[in-house]
Amino acid sequence: MAGSSSSSSPRPTRLAAGQSQCLSLPSGSQLHVVRGRLRVVESPQWLAERIVMPQALLPAGAHFMMSHRGWVELHTDTGCELVWREPVATAPVAAWGLLWRWVRGLLRSPGAVFSSR
């Protein structure tokens, strides 16, 4: 994770023993447990006509990657130090953003595009 160019800057977080925190994370976000133990509870998902909430227990040194965007609950019984990163927008996503801004600019000034001659 240290040399990864596809992730944003690290965001260190400390949780005291017994503390919980909720985060809204995009798909591809990464969690790394530096110290302690962390239980990650993902947002509810449909699986075979049932709603499940996947969970992972992460010891120190473990990594976790979000497979989809959504809320996660972070729980620790021992106290925990973790670092999390959100993914940086990929080239296709950035290109769509540029295209959208261009189209929006055209729509704001229709006289520039659809001039009557």
Side-chain angles (χ1 to χ4, degrees):
M1 230 168 69
S4 175
S5 62
S6 63
S7 297
S8 65
S9 59
R11 298 179 183 175
T13 302
R14 286 187 178 160
L15 299 174
Q19 188 176 3
S20 298
Q21 182 175 5
C22 291
L23 294 174
S24 176
L25 298 174
S27 177
S29 294
Q30 303 172 15
L31 300 173
H32 172 71
V33 180
V34 177
R35 181 187 57 79
R37 186 173 52 217
L38 181 70
R39 183 167 50 100
V40 179
V41 181
E42 293 186 58
S43 58
Q45 302 171 29
W46 282 103
L47 179 65
E49 298 184 15
R50 292 182 184 233
I51 294 179
V52 295
M53 293 178 68
Q55 298 185 26
L57 185 59
L58 306 174
H63 292 267
F64 179 83
M65 182 177 284
M66 290 287 293
S67 60
H68 63 284
R69 79 180 158 98
W71 286 93
V72 293
E73 297 174 15
L74 307 176
H75 303 277
T76 181
D77 56 351
T78 61
C80 177
E81 195 173 318
L82 67 126
V83 175
W84 58 278
R85 297 173 184 250
E86 292 182 0
V88 173
T90 59
V93 172
W96 280 112
L98 289 172
L99 179 62
W100 171 246
R101 284 192 293 277
W102 179 74
V103 169
R104 191 175 54 193
L106 291 177
L107 295 175
R108 285 187 180 161
S109 57
V113 177
F114 304 107
S115 60
S116 59
R117 293 183 185 196

